[in-house]
């Protein structure tokens, strides 16, 4: 079955540490996205990538970094520069010029 | 500034009745809208969409209405069922074609009362 895999489901880190969230898709989709959800907030776009080795900042990119070395993978690094990293992170993909977004099941990051 | 707005954080509806979820947008260039359903600790799942060339789209119990002049859309669920209890997000693509991602409203938590 094709889909998006986000791992781990829950992640705990100490303040000041960088942490990388994994996102893998086997849908052969060109575009991939990272969103963040906070309580009472909608999903906010962090970064997105339309093709391999290229990515663009979304609305709230500060304190985050990404890479897109393979079509299937779009890892997100939450750096120590992110002021409020505790949140629910969602990865999504899209064939490209299409409205058919597929979302992963999310990673809950808690920074203590 | 939020371009898609859902002004009701929560809505409680009795089972069997109609649920109406509202969404407003500010960008008149938006030409496509999507509704997603989300359970806690899960990713959103696509529910229904509408193109700006239409004013209504129906899929089973779900109907979305679009009023372009008012920049308003609504999702109707009839009849409401217990499994419909979830958070519903309205969304629009940042650009035509959808490759630049979606902008979301803050969501409405729908609670179906038995």
């Amino acid at each position: 079955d094709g889909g998006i895999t986000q791992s781990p489901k829950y992640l705990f880190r100490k303040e000041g540490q960088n942490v990388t969230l994994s996102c893998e898709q086997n849908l052969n989709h060109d575009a991939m996205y990272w969103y963040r959800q906070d309580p009472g907030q909608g999903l906010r776009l962090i970064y997105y990538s339309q093709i391999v080795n290229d990515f663009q900042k979304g609305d709230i990119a500060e304190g985050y970094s990404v890479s897109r070395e393979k079509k299937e993978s779009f890892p997100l690094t939450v750096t120590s520069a992110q002021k409020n990293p505790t949140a629910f992170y969602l990865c999504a993909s899209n064939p490209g010029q299409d409205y058919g977004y597929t979302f992963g099941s999310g990673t809950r990051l808690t920074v203590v | 500034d939020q371009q898609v707005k859902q002004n009701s954080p929560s809505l409680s509806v009795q089972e069997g009745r109609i649920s109406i979820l509202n969404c407003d947008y500010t960008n008149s260039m938006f030409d496509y809208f999507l509704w997603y359903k989300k359970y806690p600790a899960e990713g959103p799942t696509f529910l229904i969409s509408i193109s700006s060339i239409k004013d209504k789209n129906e899929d089973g119990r779900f109907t979305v209405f679009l009023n372009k002049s008012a920049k308003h859309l609504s999702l109707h669920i009839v009849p409401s069922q217990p499994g419909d209890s979830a958070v519903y997000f309205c969304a629009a693509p940042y650009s035509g074609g959808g490759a630049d991602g979606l902008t979301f409203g803050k969501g409405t938590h729908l609670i179906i009362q038995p």
Side-chain angles (χ1 to χ4, degrees):
Chain A
D1 262 350
I4 296 182
T5 301
Q6 290 188 243
S7 59
K9 183 72 174 176
Y10 299 95
L11 192 53
F12 294 87
R13 278 295 181 270
K14 290 185 178 179
E15 195 171 342
Q17 289 182 336
N18 291 357
V19 60
T20 298
L21 281 60
S22 169
C23 177
E24 303 278 334
Q25 56 103 355
N26 60 3
L27 300 163
N28 199 33
H29 284 176
D30 287 321
M32 296 186 74
Y33 310 82
W34 275 104
Y35 287 89
R36 168 182 173 141
Q37 186 189 13
D38 295 282
Q41 299 282 337
L43 281 64
R44 293 182 290 168
L45 184 63
I46 304 172
Y47 266 100
Y48 66 102
S49 167
Q50 295 181 357
I51 55 173
V52 173
N53 292 322
D54 189 41
F55 46 82
Q56 287 78 39
K57 292 182 179 180
D59 296 324
I60 55 166
E62 187 175 348
Y64 298 98
S65 66
V66 293
S67 63
R68 186 88 186 275
E69 296 176 3
K70 299 185 300 181
K71 188 175 184 178
E72 302 79 19
S73 179
F74 191 40
L76 173 75
T77 296
V78 185
T79 75
S80 57
Q82 168 50 232
K83 300 300 181 193
N84 297 295
T86 294
F88 188 58
Y89 290 87
L90 284 157
C91 180
S93 69
N94 179 303
Q97 292 297 319
D98 192 277
Y99 299 121
Y101 290 81
T102 300
F103 283 85
S105 56
T107 292
R108 167 77 59 188
L109 173 64
T110 302
V111 175
V112 296
Chain B
D1 195 25
Q2 199 142 23
Q3 299 185 74
V4 176
K5 300 179 182 181
Q6 294 177 258
N7 294 319
S8 298
S10 67
L11 175 67
S12 185
V13 174
Q14 201 167 9
E15 182 179 355
R17 301 283 186 125
I18 183 172
S19 295
I20 300 176
L21 293 85
N22 293 305
C23 177
D24 297 297
Y25 61 96
T26 58
N27 189 339
S28 57
M29 299 299 290
F30 286 157
D31 61 1
Y32 200 85
F33 301 91
L34 305 92
W35 283 94
Y36 284 85
K37 177 180 180 179
K38 187 182 181 299
Y39 294 115
E42 293 184 12
T45 55
F46 171 74
L47 200 56
I48 192 169
S49 62
I50 188 166
S51 164
S52 61
I53 63 173
K54 294 184 175 182
D55 54 17
K56 176 183 173 181
N57 189 27
E58 195 171 351
D59 184 2
R61 296 187 298 116
F62 303 92
T63 303
V64 56
F65 296 92
L66 175 61
N67 182 335
K68 288 189 292 292
S69 61
K71 295 193 183 72
H72 176 83
L73 58 156
S74 61
L75 173 68
H76 293 212
I77 306 174
V78 183
S80 300
Q81 298 175 353
D84 296 330
S85 294
V87 178
Y88 289 79
F89 291 99
C90 175
Y94 281 102
S95 64
D100 293 335
L102 299 171
T103 181
F104 286 82
K106 292 187 176 183
T108 296
H109 185 194
L110 177 64
I111 302 162
I112 305 302
Q113 306 274 12

